[in-house]
Amino acid sequence: ENVSKGNYDNGVFILNEGNGSGNSSVSFLGDDLTTFKQDVYGAENPGDLAGKYLQNIFFDGDNAYVIAGGSNVINVVNRYSFKRITKIETGFVNPRYGVVRNGKAYVTNANEYGGTSGNTDDFVAVIDLATNEVESKINLNATANRIVLEGDKLYITEPYNSDKVLVVNTVTKALETLITVG
């Protein structure tokens, strides 16, 4: 059966980062490449702003998690209706990218992102997806940006033309190593 699960099934989401004045938005482009809807978050959640600087969207089952780095919030929405379920608003400092494994989300946080700390204050927030609360954080002592999950390992890139990849073990919740990639 090819039964649609909602208005935003069979297509892709496009994050519009905005310019910091709260005008960020999420658009939807259907697989037919003719269906296009702007600001689906605003349309489905009147009066509620998605936040500043939409950075990333990741999925777990029927839920989508929209990271607004400039607002230190993750909007949890139904992936098919884009109706807000909740907002995760505690435990972040400039969240960037996220992945999901075994009921947990792992979200990189850039903290000062180039500030006076020398980019050594970044961390990964570990979110319990059953409660939508940050349960712990993994300190990195390095700059955190994009994240990929493979097995029990998180591979995190450092921005700014770095030649390093951070490897974090999700079981021990610790930074294992830095890989120099050239």
Side-chain angles (χ1 to χ4, degrees):
E1 284 183 53
N2 190 13
V3 177
S4 177
K5 295 182 178 183
N7 292 335
Y8 307 109
D9 193 6
N10 301 317
V12 297
F13 294 106
I14 303 163
L15 297 182
N16 305 298
E17 185 178 66
N19 63 10
S21 64
N23 64 345
S24 301
S25 65
V26 180
S27 298
F28 177 78
L29 177 63
D31 285 345
D32 61 7
L33 301 181
T34 60
T35 303
F36 183 74
K37 297 180 184 177
Q38 289 183 310
D39 194 14
V40 297
Y41 186 90
E44 301 298 339
N45 304 285
D48 184 32
L49 297 176
K52 289 191 247 178
Y53 299 121
L54 295 187
Q55 184 65 41
N56 181 242
I57 185 171
F58 62 95
F59 303 90
D60 182 46
D62 289 349
N63 292 343
Y65 300 83
V66 183
I67 298 174
S71 299
N72 294 321
V73 66
I74 297 177
N75 300 286
V76 184
V77 298
N78 177 283
R79 183 259 180 263
Y80 301 105
S81 70
F82 238 73
K83 297 277 187 198
R84 183 172 57 98
I85 297 167
T86 192
K87 287 182 182 270
I88 307 171
E89 301 181 272
T90 304
F92 304 116
V93 185
N94 195 4
R96 305 282 295 157
Y97 297 92
V99 294
V100 173
R101 176 162 172 86
N102 295 332
K104 308 280 185 207
Y106 299 89
V107 176
T108 57
N109 284 257
N111 211 343
E112 288 185 32
Y113 203 67
T116 58
S117 68
N119 294 321
T120 60
D121 57 355
D122 296 8
F123 61 94
V124 174
V126 181
I127 303 167
D128 181 339
L129 296 180
T131 63
N132 287 315
E133 293 182 5
V134 174
E135 66 178 27
S136 63
K137 69 179 186 176
I138 302 168
N139 291 316
L140 297 175
N141 197 34
T143 304
N145 200 39
R146 296 191 186 257
I147 185 171
V148 174
L149 174 72
E150 180 63 36
D152 291 329
K153 309 278 182 168
L154 301 172
Y155 296 88
I156 302 167
T157 61
E158 285 195 309
Y160 309 120
N161 300 318
S162 174
D163 63 352
K164 307 251 185 310
V165 174
L166 309 162
V167 181
V168 173
N169 186 314
T170 61
V171 175
T172 63
K173 294 185 180 175
L175 176 65
E176 279 190 349
T177 189
L178 288 172
I179 301 171
T180 302
V181 293

